[in-house]
Amino acid sequence: MANYDVIVIGAGPGGYVCAIRCAQLGLKVACVESRQTLGGTCLNVGCIPSKAMLHASEMYHEAHTHFDTMGLVGASPKVDLPKMLGYKQSTVDSNTSGIEFLFKKNKVDWLKGHGTITAPGKVDVAGTEYGAKNIVVATGSEAATLTGIEIDEDRIVTSTGALELKSVPKKMVVIGAGVIGLEMGSVYARLGSDVTVLEFLDHITPGMDSEISRTFQKLLTKQGLKFKLGAAVKSVEKLKTKLKVTYQVRKDESTETLDTDVVLVATGRKPYTENLGLAEAGVEMTDRGQVKTDAHLNTNVPGIWALGDVVAGPMLAHKAEDEGMAVAESIAGQRGHVNYGVIPGVIYTSPEVASVGKTEEELKEEGHAYTVGKFPFMGNARAKSHFAGDGFVKILADKATDRILGAHIIGPMAGDLIHEVCVAMEFGAAAEDLARTCHAHPTFSEAVREAALACGDGAIHA
Ligand code: NAD
């Protein structure tokens, strides 16, 4: 029986990062993965392919909206969906094969097949048993569907099927105004679909700073997405050529229906914990179906660790990556640590939305006195030249100490801009520290500095 210091089950961003870091720290490591390619949901059917589709559809939209104004005239591009899917797939392939290369480079063994824990310290992969001093469960999550709605990944799809549609549907209904619904909804709206988003709550993007959420909904509405809020979807009926979506209007409990060609179910994801031998090994679960861990990601069974979407916290690739590194460091005897207070969240629509730290609603609820510094992209020269003046940066700082407590950005490159605030927060910086940092002109990042200035004596260009 081959023996390892560590066997990681799952080669998504949490698992593969953990395996590579274990190898870098001198441990003998294997990673179990049953997919034909490495990278998990994120690289194969999640973040990476959706970003390719977001990019392509954004370019298409740009060509039809601003090219002429910029003096770029001539035949307008048309959508060739099969070709676009080919581009998407080549992006996926280059990323997944990149992880395979990194495994070889770092001497991580890829054990191909489904992994099951047969006892503490033992993992079965496709009928072969392996020994491991440490087992890391990094099996990710799967789409959580609604009762009464049968996914066929053809007309009634999750994000996986939405990335493989054979043609651009005339009409699309998206169930759930969360991250997946709005990202994929914007892709198809830009490619020409008539998109209606049905959301159970009375606002989009639950958990987001509400001022950002309201602005976001307005901007998406301007782009053609339709929203029905307070709508609880009950069923989707397959008719011969159409789908009939039935939902309850929560305000008055009346029932309404919508006809559509495609339904995207984007109502959240659930941890993937089946057939892993967790119960048999005595691993405790939470009542939400996640693997229960302590602050260092140990389960209750010595030598079994868990991380990423199977444990508590936001289901984000980068949170899983950080946990992967922390677990590897802990196994190697170092002090692995994740700062859960500084995990950014990004929605890759156009404009992008990004946030880190506390929202205004959370600070109010905590009774925490704070100052708000806001700056609109309309006052940013670079944004104006890119037709990207919609949106703003908002920084929240402690009223007494000026320490940054949170930041929320809706606007161009928000997903990149947020990281200077993340670094500042890691160093416990005050808004004044950002405000006194020279930012190159003309860059979008000046809007972040101006918002920091607005926490003090005031922004210059507003
Ligand atoms: P989500 O939790 O972000 O949103 C689901 C939405 O569906 C919620 O607003 C909820 O109120 C609504 N909903 C639930 N039941 C409903 C019903 N019956 N009728 C109408 N609305 C209903 O979930 P998601 O968008 O599916 O994303 C899943 C996970 O994947 C999330 O944790 C997300 O963070 C992650 N993800 C992140 C990114 C990113 O970071 N850019 C991209 C994709 C996915």
Side-chain angles (χ1 to χ4, degrees):
M1 184 173 70
N3 283 297
Y4 291 92
D5 293 317
V6 187
I7 291 183
V8 182
I9 306 180
Y16 82 69
V17 166
C18 181
I20 290 172
R21 181 56 106 221
C22 283
Q24 289 171 337
L25 296 174
L27 298 163
K28 186 171 184 236
V29 57
C31 188
V32 186
E33 176 56 57
S34 57
R35 247 183 239 274
Q36 297 304 306
T37 47
L38 300 170
T41 299
C42 172
L43 270 67
N44 287 282
V45 289
C47 323
I48 300 304
S50 64
K51 258 81 269 176
M53 296 296 281
L54 281 154
H55 179 64
S57 61
E58 218 174 286
M59 294 297 105
Y60 175 67
H61 185 255
E62 195 66 8
H64 287 270
T65 46
H66 296 129
F67 271 25
D68 193 66
T69 319
M70 290 188 285
L72 300 169
V73 292
S76 305
K78 293 189 184 64
V79 177
D80 179 338
L81 195 61
K83 198 162 180 187
M84 196 182 287
L85 296 184
Y87 145 71
K88 177 210 70 174
Q89 196 52 44
S90 66
T91 309
V92 168
D93 294 345
S94 75
N95 279 280
T96 55
S97 58
I99 306 301
E100 210 171 328
F101 163 78
L102 291 174
F103 270 17
K104 282 188 189 129
K105 180 182 163 199
N106 288 284
K107 300 190 174 43
V108 174
D109 289 345
W110 173 5
L111 307 179
K112 295 185 183 178
H114 180 89
T116 310
I117 302 171
T118 46
K122 291 202 167 57
V123 177
D124 175 277
V125 185
T128 306
E129 195 163 73
Y130 299 89
K133 288 186 206 138
N134 295 276
I135 297 169
V136 182
V137 180
T139 45
S141 60
E142 57 187 342
T145 53
L146 296 170
T147 5
I149 299 180
E150 214 177 296
I151 303 291
D152 59 17
E153 297 295 17
D154 178 33
R155 289 199 288 163
I156 307 177
V157 298
T158 63
S159 53
T160 304
L163 290 162
E164 290 292 337
L165 293 181
K166 291 174 199 80
S167 58
V168 176
K170 264 207 167 88
K171 286 189 186 176
M172 176 183 255
V173 164
V174 174
I175 311 176
V179 189
I180 292 179
L182 299 181
E183 286 186 354
M184 291 315 297
S186 347
V187 165
Y188 284 100
R190 285 198 286 260
L191 296 181
S193 300
D194 176 352
V195 177
T196 304
V197 183
L198 300 177
E199 167 57 47
F200 180 84
L201 301 171
D202 61 2
H203 58 274
I204 67 167
T205 51
M208 183 182 282
D209 189 278
S210 69
E211 194 181 3
I212 295 271
S213 167
R214 284 195 304 273
T215 305
F216 190 26
Q217 190 184 336
K218 269 190 214 143
L219 294 177
L220 290 175
T221 305
K222 237 168 66 182
Q223 292 172 19
L225 275 86
K226 296 178 193 134
F227 289 93
K228 289 191 188 291
L229 304 180
V233 175
K234 297 291 174 197
S235 65
V236 179
E237 196 186 334
K238 276 187 177 177
L239 307 175
K240 206 163 176 194
T241 55
K242 296 268 163 218
L243 299 168
K244 190 165 122 190
V245 183
T246 304
Y247 60 95
Q248 190 182 53
V249 181
R250 292 179 62 217
K251 198 169 53 185
D252 57 12
E253 296 196 353
S254 61
T255 297
E256 293 185 0
T257 60
L258 271 178
D259 278 355
T260 187
D261 303 305
V262 167
V263 169
L264 165 62
V265 182
T267 51
R269 297 180 63 83
K270 59 177 187 201
Y272 182 80
T273 55
E274 278 158 38
N275 302 321
L276 296 173
L278 293 173
E280 295 78 357
V283 174
E284 277 180 36
M285 309 293 283
T286 68
D287 45 18
R288 302 183 66 190
Q290 300 150 326
V291 178
K292 197 168 171 181
T293 62
D294 66 10
H296 296 285
L297 302 159
N298 290 287
T299 68
N300 62 309
V301 179
I304 302 185
W305 310 69
L307 59 83
D309 286 7
V310 278
V311 305
M315 288 185 168
L316 297 171
H318 45 283
K319 174 257 195 188
E321 289 183 33
D322 276 28
E323 289 180 337
M325 284 194 274
V327 165
E329 286 162 6
S330 297
I331 292 174
Q334 301 181 358
R335 292 174 189 272
H337 174 70
V338 178
N339 180 0
Y340 289 99
V342 186
I343 294 184
V346 179
I347 307 184
Y348 299 87
T349 42
S350 176
E352 287 184 348
V353 182
S355 63
V356 64
K358 304 278 185 182
T359 63
E360 270 205 80
E361 290 71 37
E362 285 171 331
L363 292 174
K364 278 185 192 138
E365 203 173 304
E366 290 169 9
H368 199 138
Y370 61 94
T371 48
V372 185
K374 255 173 49 178
F375 186 78
F377 279 99
M378 224 20 126
N380 178 277
R382 182 75 178 275
K384 277 202 284 202
S385 72
H386 286 226
F387 310 100
D390 283 333
F392 58 92
V393 180
K394 169 165 153 179
I395 292 178
L396 304 169
D398 184 282
K399 199 170 183 82
T401 65
D402 194 35
R403 189 181 176 131
I404 301 168
L405 303 170
H408 306 277
I409 308 177
I410 178 162
M413 306 293 286
D416 288 279
L417 297 181
I418 198 74
H419 292 95
E420 73 165 294
V421 186
C422 295
V423 174
M425 286 175 77
E426 280 288 348
F427 282 85
E432 188 181 346
D433 293 317
L434 275 190
R436 288 191 182 276
T437 303
C438 185
H439 284 62
H441 176 74
T443 60
F444 298 123
S445 74
E446 288 173 286
V448 177
R449 183 199 199 174
E450 292 265 24
L453 280 165
C455 288
D457 295 333
I460 300 296
H461 295 92

